[in-house]
Amino acid sequence: MAQHQFQTEVHKLLHLIIHSLYSNRDIFVRELVSNASDALDKLKYLTVAEDAYKSLSFEPRIDIHFDSDAKTFTISDNGIGMNETDLVESLGTIARSGTRLFLEKMTEEARHDSNLIGQFGVGFYSAFMVADTIEVLSKKALDTSAWKWTSDGKEHYTVEGSTRDSQGTTIILHLNAEGLPYANQWKIEECIKKYSNHIAFPIYLTYQAKEYDDQGKEKSSALKTERINSGTALWKRPKTALSDEDYNEFYKQIAHDSENPLMYIHTKAEGTLDYTTLFYIPQKAPYDMYHADYQPGVKLYVRRVFITDDDKELMPTWLRFVRGIIDSEDLPLNVSREILQQNKILTNIRSASVKKLLNEFKIMSENNKEKYATFIEQFNRPLKEGLYQDFTNQQALLLELVRFKSTAVDGRTSLEEYSSRMPRGRKYIYYIAGTDEKTLRASPLLEAYREQNIEVLIMDDEIDDIVIPAVGKYKEWEFRSINRAGADEELKVKGTSESEKVAQPIAEKIKKTLGDRVKDVRVSRRLQEFPACIIVDEHDPTMQMEQMLKSLGQLNVPALKPILEINGEHPLVQWVGKHDDEALIEDISHILLDQALLLEGIKIPHSTDFIQRINRLLTKTVTV
């Protein structure tokens, strides 16, 4: 018998579960049944896809029994099973990055919500809410040896050789005081009906069936085993036979979520392709939505036989928040992952599913604006990724679905709404891009646009700077970034030519002083109160994009030189034109550039130089 130490994160997790998470103990039944169902799914697939398993005697089932006298709860399956290595890796460590995030989320306010457990892939450990000790007896399919894992959920666990008649896993919970209600027929049936009624495999409960006489005295007792779940694949049932509650409970089972979904889309296609899909949109974004190793949310079945739940090809990456089922009647049962990636049938199912989802999103945006606002709050950014990745659906659907903040309205607006507010003859949809909404709204670049009531979209997602230039236009209107040169074409400023003519020598003087820190210095049409702002050339990346690329590790990105625009009517700029104190002109020129960078949220290269220049300027002012 070998004794092992729990991984640090598991130890912390178990401590939280045992000492803090008691709000909904029923969750452990759902998690253990779900794990057993997954084990059956995996073996069922192998028995039709792999020759070595085809001769295996296999009638998938899950069995539950309890002993109120011995205070035990036992759940058993005849699925794929585990060997010694599997037990150590699966029950002694947690490889998924979600564990740390789970622990971080367990603040004092959240520690009473045990529903969080399933969302982070650590469902087995929820059993320690109701058990002092847990034994796991398992034998992997085709192996000759069985193994037993035992732990009290504290610091250690043991693994030793054991015996089991057939493949599969048996979990024995030695119930604590809080777990005693689960050594009861009615309580177990209640949990199964609530959380696991739609599991595709039969779940049997074994219990002592007692008979009583007219006086209420027990006259006989016999062991009875009966099926306690319906076992029909919910997605194969007709919509008319299903209620919202049926859909919601199924979602909670497959997504390990405690909340009802925001929406569900159930589709049965017949004809050239025969398949069924049931997709769900969560109320909240999955915790790993922006992780490179995110867990896909869609499971693939072929004629109700589970194939895979970790194939990222089933949905485009920008729809990675979707949860649900694809069940095809046309794919071969022995389809491999490599074949899936190039399979024309699956490609067509995926394409049709994406279009169906987008159309349903559009219907929601038109018919239920409040719900759609909730959807956008969580999933606007992935939809923007779709603008960049899915050219087929970009103009027809995705551009109608994304929402943006604006200088003209509160909340978010659609491009259709923006265009409806545009005066006749306007050529462009104006936007300003960056990473901080507050900074963007305070940008001096917006001054003239506000003055002339020109609406500007506030794009504060870091991907906007990449996505929008790639999109190019919405209907007949081009997107125009006010961060770039040439965006001020439509600005009508009185006296512009005369002002520019007077201020041009000042711009040349500042440009000479700044040298290679800038690409150019120009007289601005857009500034009203601020002395200066920065823009970039029409085809250059923005300063924010340069910073983003460097933060992603692309350190060889060439240093971008901004264009400095100056306000020829500002007193500070006019002072530069009237004086010849080269040292003071140098300080003012660099301060104008640095403050313009800071206003755009750009880190200045030498903050010490900036402070020293400010101090010299202040000293000269107070000593005059």
Side-chain angles (χ1 to χ4, degrees):
M1 180 172 67
Q3 187 178 75
H4 301 264
Q5 185 86 17
F6 275 119
Q7 182 192 31
T8 303
E9 283 80 7
V10 177
H11 183 246
K12 291 178 182 177
L13 180 67
L14 289 171
H15 181 81
L16 275 174
I17 289 172
I18 295 168
H19 296 286
S20 303
L21 302 177
Y22 289 118
S23 67
N24 183 7
R25 299 182 191 90
D26 291 359
I27 212 77
F28 89 90
V29 179
R30 182 190 76 184
E31 294 302 315
L32 295 185
V33 170
S34 180
N35 289 346
S37 176
D38 287 345
L40 293 169
D41 267 331
K42 289 172 183 174
L43 185 56
K44 185 177 180 181
Y45 169 68
L46 291 173
T47 58
V48 296
E50 300 286 341
D51 290 338
Y53 294 86
K54 287 182 178 178
S55 60
L56 199 65
S57 176
F58 180 55
E59 294 183 9
R61 61 184 286 161
I62 298 170
D63 283 278
I64 299 173
H65 65 269
F66 61 91
D67 187 327
S68 54
D69 295 327
K71 301 178 181 178
T72 60
F73 174 101
T74 303
I75 179 169
S76 181
D77 67 72
N78 60 341
I80 189 66
M82 292 178 281
N83 58 25
E84 181 182 16
T85 302
D86 296 331
L87 285 169
V88 172
E89 290 182 352
S90 299
L91 305 185
T93 62
I94 301 179
R96 290 183 60 183
S97 58
T99 310
R100 286 187 177 83
L101 185 58
F102 172 83
L103 294 170
E104 290 169 7
K105 278 186 172 285
M106 297 310 296
T107 61
E108 290 301 322
E109 293 76 21
R111 286 187 180 185
H112 297 290
D113 187 3
S114 61
N115 288 320
L116 282 170
I117 290 172
Q119 296 179 40
F120 291 87
V122 290
F124 167 79
Y125 302 102
S126 63
F128 280 104
M129 292 190 294
V130 298
D132 288 325
T133 303
I134 297 179
E135 298 173 58
V136 180
L137 177 63
S138 195
K139 182 179 182 182
K140 195 161 189 173
L142 303 185
D143 281 7
T144 56
S145 302
W147 297 89
K148 182 180 177 183
W149 180 98
T150 307
S151 178
D152 59 4
K154 294 178 181 176
E155 296 187 357
H156 304 283
Y157 63 93
T158 61
V159 179
E160 59 185 313
S162 187
T163 58
R164 197 178 193 276
D165 292 338
S166 63
Q167 85 282 341
T169 299
T170 299
I171 301 175
I172 304 169
L173 309 185
H174 296 271
L175 301 172
N176 56 28
E178 288 78 14
L180 291 179
Y182 297 92
N184 177 284
Q185 173 194 352
W186 312 114
K187 181 63 175 174
I188 294 171
E189 287 189 9
E190 177 191 15
C191 291
I192 295 299
K193 296 293 184 189
K194 182 176 182 180
Y195 294 113
S196 307
N197 198 40
H198 305 298
I199 290 289
F201 304 106
I203 303 173
Y204 294 97
L205 176 63
T206 299
Y207 61 95
Q208 287 288 339
K210 297 179 180 181
E211 291 187 10
Y212 299 89
D213 60 21
D214 295 339
Q215 306 301 316
K217 292 182 180 180
E218 183 181 326
K219 65 178 184 179
S220 66
S221 177
L223 207 60
K224 185 176 181 180
T225 299
E226 64 180 9
R227 183 169 178 169
I228 56 174
N229 72 315
S230 67
T232 303
L234 180 137
W235 63 90
K236 284 294 189 181
R237 293 166 61 186
K239 298 178 191 178
T240 53
L242 296 169
S243 65
D244 286 343
E245 185 177 357
D246 292 327
Y247 282 113
N248 291 343
E249 290 304 325
F250 183 66
Y251 164 75
K252 291 175 184 178
Q253 176 217 319
I254 64 169
H256 301 288
D257 198 347
S258 59
E259 295 185 282
N260 289 334
L262 185 67
M263 68 182 298
Y264 58 83
I265 301 135
H266 191 180
T267 304
K268 182 172 178 59
E270 294 177 320
T272 308
L273 292 176
D274 191 351
Y275 64 90
T276 302
T277 60
L278 175 54
F279 296 128
Y280 291 96
I281 307 304
Q283 291 272 359
K284 294 178 182 175
Y287 77 93
D288 60 353
M289 189 164 73
Y290 297 114
H291 293 194
D293 61 344
Y294 71 89
Q295 183 69 20
V298 176
K299 297 183 178 185
L300 175 65
Y301 287 77
V302 173
R303 297 189 289 281
R304 284 191 57 188
V305 175
F306 171 78
I307 303 299
T308 182
D309 62 356
D310 64 352
D311 193 328
K312 295 182 179 180
E313 298 297 319
L314 297 177
M315 275 286 143
T317 56
W318 57 273
L319 282 174
R320 57 191 176 275
F321 55 86
V322 175
R323 300 293 182 253
I325 303 290
I326 294 174
D327 192 347
S328 169
E329 298 293 321
D330 303 306
L331 286 166
L333 282 170
N334 61 347
V335 63
S336 67
R337 181 169 299 177
E338 291 72 25
I339 293 174
L340 280 176
Q341 293 174 359
Q342 302 172 4
N343 188 277
K344 188 175 180 180
I345 293 172
L346 190 59
T347 299
N348 290 336
I349 292 174
R350 169 175 143 153
S351 176
S353 296
V354 168
K355 195 166 290 270
K356 176 66 175 176
L357 283 164
L358 293 180
N359 279 315
E360 291 295 327
F361 297 161
K362 191 170 191 301
I363 291 170
M364 176 170 52
S365 73
E366 295 167 348
N367 298 339
N368 194 330
K369 294 189 181 301
E370 185 176 343
K371 181 188 281 191
Y372 194 69
T374 301
F375 171 77
I376 283 296
E377 189 66 34
Q378 298 295 319
F379 306 116
N380 199 38
R381 179 172 166 177
L383 290 183
K384 288 180 181 178
E385 293 176 27
L387 288 173
Y388 190 75
Q389 297 175 22
D390 189 345
F391 185 76
T392 302
N393 294 302
Q394 182 195 93
Q395 293 288 331
L397 287 167
L398 278 164
L399 277 173
E400 302 293 346
L401 295 173
V402 292
R403 297 292 184 265
F404 301 97
K405 296 167 186 174
S406 167
T407 58
V409 295
D410 293 330
R412 289 185 168 91
T413 187
S414 69
L415 293 173
E416 176 64 33
E417 291 166 338
Y418 178 102
S419 62
S420 70
R421 293 189 290 267
M422 292 170 62
R424 189 184 299 273
R426 179 143 301 157
K427 300 177 182 178
Y428 305 112
I429 295 175
Y430 290 102
Y431 70 94
I432 182 170
T435 56
D436 179 72
E437 181 184 356
K438 186 176 180 181
T439 299
L440 292 175
R441 289 191 182 276
S443 173
L445 293 168
L446 288 171
E447 285 188 312
Y449 296 91
R450 283 200 185 98
E451 182 76 17
Q452 298 183 34
N453 293 318
I454 296 175
E455 182 176 358
V456 179
L457 297 177
I458 306 293
M459 299 196 180
D460 58 343
D461 276 331
E462 60 184 17
I463 64 168
D464 289 329
D465 236 353
I466 298 173
V467 170
I468 301 304
V471 172
K473 64 188 299 185
Y474 168 70
K475 295 183 178 178
E476 68 265 33
W477 299 286
E478 291 183 21
F479 287 102
R480 179 61 66 94
S481 169
I482 69 169
N483 310 60
R484 297 181 180 278
D488 54 0
E489 286 178 9
E490 291 187 322
L491 293 178
K492 297 179 178 64
V493 182
K494 291 181 181 179
T496 296
S497 339
E498 190 60 33
S499 300
E500 286 184 17
K501 192 172 181 181
V502 171
Q504 190 57 41
I506 306 174
E508 292 172 4
K509 185 186 289 190
I510 294 173
K511 180 180 179 181
K512 182 178 179 182
T513 302
L514 292 175
D516 62 3
R517 283 197 68 191
V518 293
K519 190 169 188 177
D520 198 5
V521 177
R522 300 175 184 174
V523 180
S524 179
R525 297 180 188 176
R526 49 187 130 204
L527 292 172
Q528 306 289 321
E529 297 179 6
F530 285 88
C533 66
I534 59 161
I535 58 170
V536 294
D537 238 344
E538 191 171 358
H539 302 294
D540 284 349
T542 63
M543 303 290 286
Q544 289 86 357
M545 188 183 295
E546 179 196 21
Q547 287 194 327
M548 184 179 71
L549 292 172
K550 287 183 177 178
S551 71
L552 294 172
Q554 298 187 31
L555 302 179
N556 59 343
V557 177
L560 181 67
K561 293 181 181 181
I563 295 170
L564 182 68
E565 283 198 355
I566 58 170
N567 180 355
E569 297 181 359
H570 194 278
L572 194 56
V573 173
Q574 289 180 346
W575 189 96
V576 173
K578 294 174 183 176
H579 295 80
D580 296 317
D581 186 334
E582 292 186 2
L584 194 54
I585 289 173
E586 182 177 354
D587 282 342
I588 292 174
S589 298
H590 284 279
I591 288 171
L592 286 173
L593 175 59
D594 287 339
Q595 73 169 7
L597 289 167
L598 289 170
L599 282 168
E600 297 303 317
I602 307 298
K603 184 179 178 181
I604 56 178
H606 303 291
S607 56
T608 304
D609 290 348
F610 177 68
I611 296 298
Q612 288 175 344
R613 293 185 195 282
I614 291 284
N615 288 339
R616 284 198 295 268
L617 191 60
L618 289 173
T619 301
K620 191 167 186 68
T621 302
V622 299
T623 56
V624 171

PDB file of all heavy atoms in Angstrom, residues 92 143 166 176 178 192 217-218 232 241 258 333 343 360 365 419 425 475 488 574 622-623:
ATOM      1  N   GLY A  92      -5.575  12.693  -7.098  1.00  0.00           N
ATOM      2  CA  GLY A  92      -4.553  13.256  -6.218  1.00  0.00           C
ATOM      3  C   GLY A  92      -4.028  14.598  -6.668  1.00  0.00           C
ATOM      4  O   GLY A  92      -3.431  15.348  -5.900  1.00  0.00           O
ATOM      5  N   ASP A 143      -7.694  -4.521 -18.386  1.00  0.00           N
ATOM      6  CA  ASP A 143      -6.652  -4.801 -17.385  1.00  0.00           C
ATOM      7  C   ASP A 143      -7.058  -6.002 -16.541  1.00  0.00           C
ATOM      8  O   ASP A 143      -8.253  -6.336 -16.421  1.00  0.00           O
ATOM      9  CB  ASP A 143      -6.436  -3.593 -16.472  1.00  0.00           C
ATOM     10  CG  ASP A 143      -5.574  -2.521 -17.126  1.00  0.00           C
ATOM     11  OD1 ASP A 143      -5.266  -2.672 -18.331  1.00  0.00           O
ATOM     12  OD2 ASP A 143      -5.226  -1.543 -16.447  1.00  0.00           O
ATOM     13  N   SER A 166     -15.352  -7.045 -12.678  1.00  0.00           N
ATOM     14  CA  SER A 166     -15.372  -6.528 -14.049  1.00  0.00           C
ATOM     15  C   SER A 166     -14.836  -5.105 -14.069  1.00  0.00           C
ATOM     16  O   SER A 166     -14.556  -4.503 -13.029  1.00  0.00           O
ATOM     17  CB  SER A 166     -16.804  -6.552 -14.603  1.00  0.00           C
ATOM     18  OG  SER A 166     -17.627  -5.695 -13.835  1.00  0.00           O
ATOM     19  N   ASN A 176     -20.768  11.221   6.926  1.00  0.00           N
ATOM     20  CA  ASN A 176     -20.674  11.952   8.184  1.00  0.00           C
ATOM     21  C   ASN A 176     -22.087  12.372   8.609  1.00  0.00           C
ATOM     22  O   ASN A 176     -23.075  11.983   7.975  1.00  0.00           O
ATOM     23  CB  ASN A 176     -19.739  13.162   8.047  1.00  0.00           C
ATOM     24  CG  ASN A 176     -20.166  14.104   6.918  1.00  0.00           C
ATOM     25  OD1 ASN A 176     -21.347  14.196   6.574  1.00  0.00           O
ATOM     26  ND2 ASN A 176     -19.202  14.814   6.337  1.00  0.00           N
ATOM     27  N   GLU A 178     -23.651  15.178   8.319  1.00  0.00           N
ATOM     28  CA  GLU A 178     -24.370  15.920   7.289  1.00  0.00           C
ATOM     29  C   GLU A 178     -24.795  15.029   6.130  1.00  0.00           C
ATOM     30  O   GLU A 178     -25.702  15.375   5.370  1.00  0.00           O
ATOM     31  CB  GLU A 178     -23.504  17.066   6.747  1.00  0.00           C
ATOM     32  CG  GLU A 178     -23.305  18.238   7.692  1.00  0.00           C
ATOM     33  CD  GLU A 178     -22.272  17.957   8.765  1.00  0.00           C
ATOM     34  OE1 GLU A 178     -21.523  16.969   8.622  1.00  0.00           O
ATOM     35  OE2 GLU A 178     -22.211  18.705   9.752  1.00  0.00           O
ATOM     36  N   ILE A 192     -31.792  12.306  -8.107  1.00  0.00           N
ATOM     37  CA  ILE A 192     -31.645  11.787  -9.474  1.00  0.00           C
ATOM     38  C   ILE A 192     -32.690  12.428 -10.396  1.00  0.00           C
ATOM     39  O   ILE A 192     -32.377  12.859 -11.513  1.00  0.00           O
ATOM     40  CB  ILE A 192     -31.767  10.254  -9.498  1.00  0.00           C
ATOM     41  CG1 ILE A 192     -30.608   9.614  -8.725  1.00  0.00           C
ATOM     42  CG2 ILE A 192     -31.796   9.746 -10.944  1.00  0.00           C
ATOM     43  CD1 ILE A 192     -29.241   9.906  -9.271  1.00  0.00           C
ATOM     44  N   LYS A 217     -47.061  -2.581  11.528  1.00  0.00           N
ATOM     45  CA  LYS A 217     -45.869  -3.349  11.880  1.00  0.00           C
ATOM     46  C   LYS A 217     -45.267  -3.969  10.624  1.00  0.00           C
ATOM     47  O   LYS A 217     -45.982  -4.418   9.725  1.00  0.00           O
ATOM     48  CB  LYS A 217     -46.223  -4.453  12.881  1.00  0.00           C
ATOM     49  CG  LYS A 217     -46.629  -3.912  14.254  1.00  0.00           C
ATOM     50  CD  LYS A 217     -46.906  -5.069  15.206  1.00  0.00           C
ATOM     51  CE  LYS A 217     -47.310  -4.548  16.584  1.00  0.00           C
ATOM     52  NZ  LYS A 217     -47.578  -5.664  17.526  1.00  0.00           N
ATOM     53  N   GLU A 218     -43.932  -3.995  10.580  1.00  0.00           N
ATOM     54  CA  GLU A 218     -43.224  -4.577   9.429  1.00  0.00           C
ATOM     55  C   GLU A 218     -43.484  -6.071   9.380  1.00  0.00           C
ATOM     56  O   GLU A 218     -43.270  -6.787  10.350  1.00  0.00           O
ATOM     57  CB  GLU A 218     -41.728  -4.304   9.543  1.00  0.00           C
ATOM     58  CG  GLU A 218     -40.931  -4.804   8.354  1.00  0.00           C
ATOM     59  CD  GLU A 218     -39.435  -4.532   8.499  1.00  0.00           C
ATOM     60  OE1 GLU A 218     -39.062  -3.498   9.077  1.00  0.00           O
ATOM     61  OE2 GLU A 218     -38.657  -5.389   8.048  1.00  0.00           O
ATOM     62  N   THR A 232     -33.856   8.677 -21.411  1.00  0.00           N
ATOM     63  CA  THR A 232     -34.023   9.069 -22.806  1.00  0.00           C
ATOM     64  C   THR A 232     -33.166  10.292 -23.094  1.00  0.00           C
ATOM     65  O   THR A 232     -33.216  11.265 -22.352  1.00  0.00           O
ATOM     66  CB  THR A 232     -35.494   9.403 -23.102  1.00  0.00           C
ATOM     67  OG1 THR A 232     -36.299   8.282 -22.766  1.00  0.00           O
ATOM     68  CG2 THR A 232     -35.690   9.764 -24.567  1.00  0.00           C
ATOM     69  N   ALA A 241     -42.688  17.807 -26.168  1.00  0.00           N
ATOM     70  CA  ALA A 241     -42.726  16.968 -24.962  1.00  0.00           C
ATOM     71  C   ALA A 241     -41.819  17.494 -23.856  1.00  0.00           C
ATOM     72  O   ALA A 241     -41.717  16.882 -22.789  1.00  0.00           O
ATOM     73  CB  ALA A 241     -42.325  15.535 -25.320  1.00  0.00           C
ATOM     74  N   SER A 258     -24.900  26.319 -11.976  1.00  0.00           N
ATOM     75  CA  SER A 258     -25.978  26.401 -10.991  1.00  0.00           C
ATOM     76  C   SER A 258     -27.126  27.279 -11.472  1.00  0.00           C
ATOM     77  O   SER A 258     -28.224  27.218 -10.939  1.00  0.00           O
ATOM     78  CB  SER A 258     -25.432  26.957  -9.677  1.00  0.00           C
ATOM     79  OG  SER A 258     -24.863  28.240  -9.876  1.00  0.00           O
ATOM     80  N   LEU A 333     -19.276   5.625 -36.692  1.00  0.00           N
ATOM     81  CA  LEU A 333     -19.041   5.519 -35.249  1.00  0.00           C
ATOM     82  C   LEU A 333     -17.549   5.499 -34.905  1.00  0.00           C
ATOM     83  O   LEU A 333     -17.160   5.921 -33.820  1.00  0.00           O
ATOM     84  CB  LEU A 333     -19.707   4.254 -34.699  1.00  0.00           C
ATOM     85  CG  LEU A 333     -21.226   4.342 -34.501  1.00  0.00           C
ATOM     86  CD1 LEU A 333     -21.797   2.979 -34.197  1.00  0.00           C
ATOM     87  CD2 LEU A 333     -21.559   5.313 -33.395  1.00  0.00           C
ATOM     88  N   ASN A 343     -13.641  16.347 -41.933  1.00  0.00           N
ATOM     89  CA  ASN A 343     -14.857  15.668 -42.362  1.00  0.00           C
ATOM     90  C   ASN A 343     -15.869  16.660 -42.930  1.00  0.00           C
ATOM     91  O   ASN A 343     -16.258  17.626 -42.262  1.00  0.00           O
ATOM     92  CB  ASN A 343     -15.465  14.915 -41.176  1.00  0.00           C
ATOM     93  CG  ASN A 343     -16.622  14.037 -41.604  1.00  0.00           C
ATOM     94  OD1 ASN A 343     -17.732  14.507 -41.730  1.00  0.00           O
ATOM     95  ND2 ASN A 343     -16.349  12.765 -41.838  1.00  0.00           N
ATOM     96  N   GLU A 360     -30.538  33.198 -34.270  1.00  0.00           N
ATOM     97  CA  GLU A 360     -31.255  33.238 -32.991  1.00  0.00           C
ATOM     98  C   GLU A 360     -30.804  34.428 -32.155  1.00  0.00           C
ATOM     99  O   GLU A 360     -31.609  35.056 -31.463  1.00  0.00           O
ATOM    100  CB  GLU A 360     -31.036  31.926 -32.232  1.00  0.00           C
ATOM    101  CG  GLU A 360     -31.705  30.718 -32.850  1.00  0.00           C
ATOM    102  CD  GLU A 360     -33.224  30.815 -32.841  1.00  0.00           C
ATOM    103  OE1 GLU A 360     -33.787  31.401 -31.896  1.00  0.00           O
ATOM    104  OE2 GLU A 360     -33.852  30.321 -33.804  1.00  0.00           O
ATOM    105  N   SER A 365     -31.995  39.944 -30.224  1.00  0.00           N
ATOM    106  CA  SER A 365     -31.667  41.377 -30.208  1.00  0.00           C
ATOM    107  C   SER A 365     -32.861  42.235 -30.616  1.00  0.00           C
ATOM    108  O   SER A 365     -32.994  43.372 -30.179  1.00  0.00           O
ATOM    109  CB  SER A 365     -30.480  41.656 -31.135  1.00  0.00           C
ATOM    110  OG  SER A 365     -30.860  41.562 -32.502  1.00  0.00           O
ATOM    111  N   SER A 419     -25.915  54.336 -37.744  1.00  0.00           N
ATOM    112  CA  SER A 419     -26.119  54.841 -39.114  1.00  0.00           C
ATOM    113  C   SER A 419     -27.446  55.590 -39.238  1.00  0.00           C
ATOM    114  O   SER A 419     -27.569  56.518 -40.036  1.00  0.00           O
ATOM    115  CB  SER A 419     -26.063  53.694 -40.122  1.00  0.00           C
ATOM    116  OG  SER A 419     -27.095  52.749 -39.887  1.00  0.00           O
ATOM    117  N   GLY A 425     -25.349  62.223 -46.382  1.00  0.00           N
ATOM    118  CA  GLY A 425     -24.113  62.640 -47.035  1.00  0.00           C
ATOM    119  C   GLY A 425     -22.845  62.312 -46.267  1.00  0.00           C
ATOM    120  O   GLY A 425     -21.748  62.483 -46.793  1.00  0.00           O
ATOM    121  N   LYS A 475     -21.996  48.277 -44.488  1.00  0.00           N
ATOM    122  CA  LYS A 475     -22.833  48.704 -45.620  1.00  0.00           C
ATOM    123  C   LYS A 475     -22.021  49.660 -46.498  1.00  0.00           C
ATOM    124  O   LYS A 475     -20.924  49.321 -46.921  1.00  0.00           O
ATOM    125  CB  LYS A 475     -24.138  49.308 -45.112  1.00  0.00           C
ATOM    126  CG  LYS A 475     -25.022  48.285 -44.383  1.00  0.00           C
ATOM    127  CD  LYS A 475     -26.351  48.867 -43.943  1.00  0.00           C
ATOM    128  CE  LYS A 475     -27.196  47.800 -43.266  1.00  0.00           C
ATOM    129  NZ  LYS A 475     -28.488  48.321 -42.768  1.00  0.00           N
ATOM    130  N   ASP A 488      -9.918  63.880 -40.180  1.00  0.00           N
ATOM    131  CA  ASP A 488     -10.572  65.168 -39.938  1.00  0.00           C
ATOM    132  C   ASP A 488     -11.092  65.812 -41.227  1.00  0.00           C
ATOM    133  O   ASP A 488     -11.403  66.997 -41.266  1.00  0.00           O
ATOM    134  CB  ASP A 488      -9.610  66.119 -39.227  1.00  0.00           C
ATOM    135  CG  ASP A 488      -8.285  66.278 -39.978  1.00  0.00           C
ATOM    136  OD1 ASP A 488      -8.136  65.651 -41.047  1.00  0.00           O
ATOM    137  OD2 ASP A 488      -7.410  67.007 -39.483  1.00  0.00           O
ATOM    138  N   GLN A 574       1.501  79.203 -29.073  1.00  0.00           N
ATOM    139  CA  GLN A 574       1.816  80.525 -29.610  1.00  0.00           C
ATOM    140  C   GLN A 574       3.078  81.103 -28.959  1.00  0.00           C
ATOM    141  O   GLN A 574       3.856  81.804 -29.609  1.00  0.00           O
ATOM    142  CB  GLN A 574       0.619  81.466 -29.398  1.00  0.00           C
ATOM    143  CG  GLN A 574      -0.565  81.106 -30.296  1.00  0.00           C
ATOM    144  CD  GLN A 574      -1.748  82.035 -30.096  1.00  0.00           C
ATOM    145  OE1 GLN A 574      -1.819  82.795 -29.121  1.00  0.00           O
ATOM    146  NE2 GLN A 574      -2.706  81.978 -31.044  1.00  0.00           N
ATOM    147  N   VAL A 622       7.465  80.702 -11.652  1.00  0.00           N
ATOM    148  CA  VAL A 622       7.305  81.309 -10.316  1.00  0.00           C
ATOM    149  C   VAL A 622       8.393  82.337 -10.005  1.00  0.00           C
ATOM    150  O   VAL A 622       8.258  83.134  -9.080  1.00  0.00           O
ATOM    151  CB  VAL A 622       7.283  80.229  -9.205  1.00  0.00           C
ATOM    152  CG1 VAL A 622       6.117  79.284  -9.401  1.00  0.00           C
ATOM    153  CG2 VAL A 622       8.599  79.459  -9.165  1.00  0.00           C
ATOM    154  N   THR A 623       9.482  82.316 -10.791  1.00  0.00           N
ATOM    155  CA  THR A 623      10.568  83.260 -10.518  1.00  0.00           C
ATOM    156  C   THR A 623      10.517  84.479 -11.430  1.00  0.00           C
ATOM    157  O   THR A 623      11.354  85.371 -11.340  1.00  0.00           O
ATOM    158  CB  THR A 623      11.940  82.578 -10.672  1.00  0.00           C
ATOM    159  OG1 THR A 623      12.032  82.005 -11.969  1.00  0.00           O
ATOM    160  CG2 THR A 623      12.127  81.518  -9.608  1.00  0.00           C
TER     161      THR A 623
END
